[in-house]
Amino acid sequence: MKKYNVCFMMASILCALGLAGCQRAPDGVEGNGIMHAQSDMEQQVQDIAAAGPKEQTQAQAGAQPQGAYYQGTVGTGDNKINIKAEIPALPDKLHILTLKPDEGLDRDALLAFLDSKGGSIEDTSQELLKEIEENDRENSTMNESGEKCLYSKFGDHSAIRLEDGTKTASFTYHTGAYYMDQALMEKCMGIYDGDFSETPVAEDQMDEGSFSANMAAEILLDKVEAAGVRDLAMKKIYYHEGSDYSCYYMEFVPVYDGLAVDIGANSYELGQVLPNGFASVSKEGVAEVQLIDFCGRAAEQELVVALSFEQVLKILEQYLDSGMIQSDGKITYDRVELNYYPVPSAAPARDEIEYKPELVLTPIWHIYIPLDVYVDEGYSATGSPSNICINAVTGELVY
């Protein structure tokens, strides 16, 4: 049954290799992972950011009029974007977070995560460590194309795994977790042997049906609590139904201080870590769940004041005028969120897998259109970005 674990790893890699966010300026200079225009424009952005209420509390800043809804066009001429979306309120407190591996993910927590109802429990931790070491070694070796499959992981080199003959549970790196109920997973996989349907579940459909997506999400959250997860944010939910069985397939991200960790459709680069999770859930329980770089604990926090959305609009004008963001105005961005962005570190050595001892999360204003809409409506051919992310403290263009 280890093939299911491989499927989840492949899914995470595919998610990491999504579409790039913004078009880059041809005459900019490289810095912090994106192309920057001339310094006078950057100074203008800094001035706009500095004009905010930095001496006020976040609650006072959030109380400033900015409206719950915005509809308008930003930019002029051939380079502009349309926004038509609800604008989230700023929280009372906002932080830059430094995450560390969760040392609480020990054997006792893993026993609770396994939740074995009987039978002998086997400790296969050493085999798991060998599998990880072998995988790292193979990925660090040149393939036939002369390339290496290198990546960055958040966490250490730890790994523990328990099995009871029907269930498997493991913690890796003190930041990741995996669980599979073999019997339930076989039922879920059996859905695809005959005629089946896959139906995406929209946010306003979460309570529909005798076994709703919200019910499935509650079952999932109860399960991952043993892995130290107290909250999560759904990104995609699909209802899979066969002739005699059904389940939900879920993709989700961690939540800190009420903000989801999200990077939209950013392209992967060395030094980047992408916290994400996947699960299959039926009425009978969780069939499988994979948490990748997901379980870090907040070890440090720096209180900051976020830019208002009015300031963000002024900053967007600067990036559009400079060409750092290029858009023909054919897309209307209908989502605006305040998220946490996992800050990339410098790329690791070109011949090794990187294990990060910490992960920094910074708040961002995230302006986007869902990726499926972006592709299905043919917007990808326009060259306009699907996601625009602005650092919510400095105004810097994240991507």
Side-chain angles (χ1 to χ4, degrees):
M1 303 302 291
K2 289 187 175 62
K3 63 180 179 181
Y4 298 131
N5 196 13
V6 173
C7 289
F8 267 127
M9 289 301 294
M10 291 303 296
S12 67
I13 292 172
L14 290 175
C15 286
L17 297 175
L19 296 174
C22 291
Q23 297 292 314
R24 295 180 173 180
D27 300 322
V29 293
E30 187 71 23
N32 297 325
I34 62 173
M35 298 297 285
H36 286 282
Q38 300 302 316
S39 59
D40 57 344
M41 187 280 300
E42 293 179 345
Q43 184 60 55
Q44 291 174 327
V45 169
Q46 293 173 10
D47 291 343
I48 294 171
K54 297 299 182 181
E55 300 303 321
Q56 300 181 42
T57 66
Q58 185 66 68
Q60 291 170 325
Q64 291 184 343
Q66 64 178 56
Y69 194 86
Y70 176 83
Q71 180 176 354
T73 299
V74 185
T76 57
D78 296 330
N79 206 25
K80 56 190 176 183
I81 62 172
N82 305 308
I83 301 174
K84 183 180 180 181
E86 293 185 6
I87 310 302
L90 293 172
D92 290 342
K93 292 183 179 180
L94 194 63
H95 300 92
I96 294 175
L97 299 179
T98 300
L99 306 183
K100 300 282 189 179
D102 187 353
E103 299 293 338
L105 299 183
D106 55 17
R107 194 178 191 279
D108 289 341
L110 188 58
L111 279 170
F113 192 43
L114 180 66
D115 190 25
S116 180
K117 301 302 183 183
S120 60
I121 297 176
E122 181 182 5
D123 188 330
T124 58
S125 300
Q126 291 304 311
E127 291 88 338
L128 177 58
L129 282 166
K130 290 179 181 178
E131 292 170 15
I132 292 173
E133 291 172 0
E134 179 61 25
N135 182 71
D136 285 356
R137 184 162 48 251
E138 289 181 358
N139 289 337
S140 299
T141 303
M142 290 286 189
N143 58 26
E144 294 180 357
S145 302
E147 299 175 345
K148 300 179 182 181
C149 183
L150 301 179
Y151 48 83
S152 298
K153 293 294 299 180
F154 169 38
D156 51 34
H157 290 80
S158 66
I160 50 177
R161 182 172 63 192
L162 300 176
E163 304 177 5
D164 69 356
T166 60
K167 299 177 182 178
T168 298
S170 63
F171 292 150
T172 49
Y173 321 116
H174 283 118
T175 60
Y178 177 75
Y179 169 86
M180 184 185 67
D181 182 317
Q182 182 171 322
L184 287 185
M185 196 61 195
E186 287 178 350
K187 290 182 179 180
C188 290
M189 295 300 290
I191 293 173
Y192 315 115
D193 292 339
D195 293 334
F196 75 95
S197 61
E198 178 183 80
T199 306
V201 180
E203 186 174 353
D204 59 359
Q205 299 173 319
M206 292 288 288
D207 284 320
E208 295 182 1
S210 59
F211 177 55
S212 68
N214 267 333
M215 293 177 181
E218 289 176 4
I219 291 174
L220 173 62
L221 193 55
D222 286 342
K223 183 64 183 177
V224 298
E225 186 176 358
V229 178
R230 301 291 181 266
D231 198 3
L232 50 82
M234 291 294 169
K235 300 303 296 179
K236 294 181 181 179
I237 301 179
Y238 299 94
Y239 182 63
H240 291 183
E241 185 174 22
S243 58
D244 57 2
Y245 205 73
S246 62
C247 70
Y248 287 96
Y249 173 75
M250 300 174 162
E251 301 178 13
F252 49 92
V253 293
V255 172
Y256 295 92
D257 291 344
L259 302 184
V261 178
D262 196 5
I263 61 170
N266 194 26
S267 59
Y268 180 78
E269 60 184 54
L270 282 178
Q272 181 74 69
V273 168
L274 311 172
N276 56 89
F278 310 90
S280 294
V281 183
S282 74
K283 283 184 179 180
E284 298 178 83
V286 175
E288 185 176 39
V289 60
Q290 175 93 352
L291 307 177
I292 302 171
D293 299 317
F294 200 100
C295 305
R297 60 175 179 81
E300 301 174 14
Q301 55 184 27
E302 175 189 351
L303 186 64
V304 293
V305 176
L307 301 173
S308 69
F309 192 68
E310 182 181 359
Q311 287 173 286
V312 171
L313 293 174
K314 294 178 181 179
I315 289 171
L316 282 172
E317 289 181 354
Q318 299 297 322
Y319 288 135
L320 286 161
D321 290 345
S322 70
M324 286 183 66
I325 299 175
Q326 296 181 17
S327 175
D328 58 10
K330 294 181 179 179
I331 299 178
T332 296
Y333 297 89
D334 60 0
R335 308 291 172 88
V336 175
E337 296 178 0
L338 194 61
N339 294 139
Y340 269 128
Y341 172 74
V343 180
S345 66
R350 306 298 294 187
D351 59 351
E352 63 184 26
I353 308 300
E354 179 194 31
Y355 287 84
K356 293 174 176 291
E358 63 181 33
L359 180 63
V360 177
L361 303 179
T362 191
I364 57 169
W365 280 102
H366 187 185
I367 303 163
Y368 68 101
I369 183 172
L371 187 58
D372 54 351
V373 177
Y374 181 76
V375 174
D376 293 344
E377 297 297 326
Y379 293 134
S380 55
T382 69
S384 299
S386 61
N387 291 255
I388 300 172
C389 291
I390 303 294
N391 187 303
V393 179
T394 67
E396 178 185 5
L397 181 63
V398 176
Y399 66 89

